[in-house]
Amino acid sequence: MECKSAWAREAIITHVKGHGIKVKKTDVPELTKLFEEYNTIKPGTLTTPKPDQPPVEGLAIWDEAFACAANNCTYCCRMQSSLHQHWNDCHKDLPATGIYRFFQKPVQTFCLVPKRYFSVLPIGPNEDPTTPLGLYKRYLQEEGTRHRNALTTNPPTHVKEVPPLLQVTNWHQHLAEYTKDKTSIHHLCSLMKFSNPKNSRPGFDRLGEVVFSYLKNIRKKANEAHIGINCLLMECPRTTQNGPYWRPHASNETLKDYSSLLHHFAHAILSTLAGASTSYQFPLSPEDQARGTKLLELLTSSQEDITQSFHEFISPFLFAGTSLDSTGKYSKWASVLECCLAIYCLNDDGTFRKPQYVTQVFAKVVYHCRGATLYEALENIDTFNGDPYKAVEHYATKHLRPGILSPYNAVIDYQRFATSLVLSSSSPPVTRVSRDGTLITHADKTLSTLQSPTYSLGVPESPWESLGVPGSPWEAPRDSDNPWKLLVNSYSLEIP
């Protein structure tokens, strides 16, 4: 019978009884003498081996276990949920999510109580870890861990590698300083991500509710308005009586979906005012900052309807405004909405959303521009002697008229271009490989070739020396893992 576990000296006698072995009271002194004679380790003095060493002989091995992927962290467990809990407790500031938080490795533990797992090499029953194959697998595992934790990105190095949509939007150029590594990307993307209500900043848990109420208020105004007024939101100035009219979404579910985008934008802007983990700053004027600060105070202290304050805060970003940056020079990045779109469409690996995933985003922004224009006009109806048509015509001409520089027109042009890309694209997405061959980007996905031995394309110079084995052959063993195949969106990429 093999127990395959270690026990503290005080617990051994109780443990062996569980195996059906009877221990008499007269045997206890003799056993205690044996413990002293063999110099058994006292509780609390046992240290676990270094990770990724050959398995300890005699201990049980759990093959399907998990090791934390964070740098210099040796935590291991057998449940994926335990690993995620560990990550949230100890590494919540690191940008990894999902499967990027762990490696699947075999683990062992000396004692079942308490359990302190450590990772070991996945050596087969007839496999020697000191052979070239064993050393090669160990190298790939260690190099993969190092490379994965480096959190590097794979930006385009030539204009031909830049997707067509980015060549028009230039999002990648605007955010280049903040997308050099995945940690920076994580902090930048966190502007758009909602926190758990229990952990969110004061007032931020109410923001989504306020945005939804704002859109319902706009819907109510639109439903009560004359059809000619809603036509102005689609075509201004009106040249015929045959144009379409703007219709707000009647479904609360759809309206909630649309409010989510505005919620993301507002959350990002307010986060920079409240103190964010990224150094990125929106081009906010002193007036914008004052309105944002006021809204934060109302979100925290007031329980009354603050949709008017939210409109005052968000509407300047949806309306035509200045195109001059802080230095007085023209820049499209003087528009807060342009900046919001760039961050919102940024993926965790430094790539950006494909055209088919941004057309709906643009449609939602257009919807919000029209809704905010209607709200602004009807709130200032007294300026036009109570005439709603003249009020809406004035603000629609100012912010929605074709041929002017406005966020509304910019987004319509983006949407038109993105739609044409979706409808005309028939070729496979661009695939690029980093100079060192460790990162491959296909469409909007980036794969590290060193994440596991299965994805290995080869190794840089002298992996054996890095393992302390000078003079060993450089080339990988021929019986190592098979070539890999990457399947993305029905396109196959094979590297022999």
Side-chain angles (χ1 to χ4, degrees):
M1 177 181 62
E2 293 186 4
C3 181
K4 293 188 176 182
S5 64
W7 290 84
R9 63 171 69 177
E10 290 79 4
I12 290 180
I13 296 176
T14 304
H15 171 67
V16 297
K17 289 181 180 179
H19 289 293
I21 300 175
K22 295 182 180 180
V23 179
K24 298 179 182 179
K25 290 184 177 180
T26 55
D27 297 331
V28 173
E30 187 67 22
L31 289 173
T32 304
K33 184 178 179 181
L34 285 175
F35 297 155
E36 298 292 341
E37 182 179 342
Y38 285 99
N39 195 26
T40 55
I41 299 175
K42 296 180 180 180
T45 61
L46 180 64
T47 57
T48 57
K50 293 182 178 180
D52 302 327
Q53 300 296 318
V56 177
E57 186 177 354
L59 293 180
I61 301 177
W62 288 273
D63 292 319
E64 297 181 359
F66 306 92
C68 181
N71 270 331
N72 303 318
C73 183
T74 60
Y75 178 82
C76 297
C77 60
R78 293 173 57 192
M79 300 292 293
Q80 194 174 137
S81 57
S82 300
L83 193 287
H84 289 306
Q85 184 61 50
H86 160 77
W87 191 280
N88 292 333
D89 292 340
C90 303
H91 312 298
K92 59 184 179 181
D93 292 331
L94 295 181
T97 57
I99 62 172
Y100 294 101
R101 291 180 172 183
F102 60 81
F103 299 103
Q104 283 194 289
K105 294 182 178 181
V107 298
Q108 290 182 301
T109 181
F110 283 110
C111 303
L112 297 179
V113 180
K115 297 176 183 177
R116 293 189 178 92
Y117 294 106
F118 53 91
S119 61
V120 295
L121 289 175
I123 303 300
N126 300 317
E127 198 171 296
D128 186 352
T130 62
T131 63
L133 177 60
L135 289 170
Y136 179 65
K137 285 191 172 182
R138 177 181 168 188
Y139 168 78
L140 285 177
Q141 192 171 46
E142 293 180 353
E143 182 66 12
T145 302
R146 180 200 65 77
H147 182 78
R148 189 175 186 178
N149 289 333
L151 301 173
T152 53
T153 58
N154 187 23
T157 56
H158 191 275
V159 65
K160 292 184 178 179
E161 295 178 346
V162 179
L165 182 61
L166 286 187
Q167 293 184 27
V168 172
T169 62
N170 291 310
W171 293 333
H172 63 302
Q173 293 181 358
H174 175 62
L175 299 179
E177 185 67 26
Y178 307 92
T179 55
K180 292 180 178 179
D181 58 78
K182 290 187 179 178
T183 301
S184 300
I185 295 171
H186 169 71
H187 291 315
L188 183 61
C189 290
S190 67
L191 294 176
M192 292 283 176
K193 294 181 179 179
F194 308 138
S195 303
N196 186 306
K198 295 181 180 179
N199 302 324
S200 62
R201 298 186 182 93
F204 276 72
D205 55 333
R206 285 189 59 205
L207 186 57
E209 175 189 339
V210 171
V211 177
F212 187 44
S213 297
Y214 173 60
L215 292 191
K216 288 195 293 185
N217 197 323
I218 291 175
R219 179 175 63 185
K220 183 175 183 295
K221 291 179 182 295
N223 288 336
E224 294 174 351
H226 189 278
I227 187 172
I229 292 176
N230 289 328
C231 286
L232 285 170
L233 298 173
M234 300 294 290
E235 179 188 20
C236 187
R238 293 189 69 186
T239 57
T240 70
Q241 289 296 116
N242 302 322
Y245 67 96
W246 185 65
R247 290 176 291 181
H249 292 295
S251 167
N252 279 340
E253 183 177 351
T254 304
L255 203 64
K256 189 72 174 178
D257 178 51
Y258 272 57
S259 74
S260 177
L261 179 66
L262 208 56
H263 184 188
H264 279 292
F265 289 178
H267 184 280
I269 300 167
L270 292 174
S271 293
T272 60
L273 294 176
S277 57
T278 178
S279 59
Y280 182 89
Q281 292 293 321
F282 290 97
L284 301 178
S285 66
E287 294 77 13
D288 295 332
Q289 296 178 23
R291 287 188 289 264
T293 303
K294 176 185 176 182
L295 179 60
L296 283 173
E297 293 174 353
L298 292 174
L299 286 169
T300 305
S301 59
S302 176
Q303 297 301 318
E304 299 178 357
D305 183 11
I306 58 174
T307 54
Q308 176 62 31
S309 296
F310 178 77
H311 170 76
E312 293 172 357
F313 164 72
I314 201 68
S315 60
F317 312 136
L318 302 173
F319 292 163
T322 180
S323 298
L324 304 179
D325 61 17
S326 57
T327 64
K329 297 180 180 179
Y330 166 77
S331 173
K332 74 182 232 177
W333 302 113
S335 168
V336 174
L337 184 64
E338 290 268 13
C339 301
C340 286
L341 284 171
I343 300 174
Y344 184 80
C345 295
L346 175 66
N347 295 322
D348 291 336
D349 61 358
T351 60
F352 290 84
R353 296 190 186 196
K354 294 189 289 186
Q356 56 264 44
Y357 299 132
V358 298
T359 52
Q360 186 63 23
V361 174
F362 295 147
K364 291 176 180 178
V365 173
V366 168
Y367 180 93
H368 293 316
C369 289
R370 289 169 176 156
T373 300
L374 177 67
Y375 189 102
E376 180 77 5
L378 297 183
E379 287 296 311
N380 292 280
I381 194 173
D382 292 341
T383 309
F384 302 90
N385 298 320
D387 189 335
Y389 190 92
K390 286 185 178 180
V392 174
E393 184 178 38
H394 169 79
Y395 285 101
T397 302
K398 183 178 179 181
H399 303 305
L400 308 181
R401 177 171 55 86
I404 63 172
L405 289 178
S406 68
Y408 173 81
N409 285 332
V411 171
I412 284 183
D413 288 336
Y414 288 155
Q415 185 182 32
R416 176 172 51 84
F417 184 74
T419 302
S420 68
L421 289 176
V422 174
L423 296 178
S424 63
S425 177
S426 59
S427 59
V430 174
T431 300
R432 62 179 183 271
V433 181
S434 61
R435 292 186 182 278
D436 60 0
T438 58
L439 291 173
I440 295 180
T441 299
H442 181 73
D444 63 341
K445 306 293 182 184
T446 299
L447 174 72
S448 169
T449 61
L450 292 173
Q451 284 183 5
S452 73
T454 322
Y455 296 149
S456 171
L457 298 178
V459 296
E461 50 193 275
S462 193
W464 313 109
E465 292 183 4
S466 69
L467 296 173
V469 190
S472 295
W474 177 88
E475 60 273 3
R478 292 190 176 275
D479 54 345
S480 60
D481 295 289
N482 295 328
W484 59 274
K485 179 184 290 185
L486 173 66
L487 296 176
V488 180
N489 292 342
S490 301
Y491 292 107
S492 174
L493 172 65
E494 295 190 18
I495 297 182

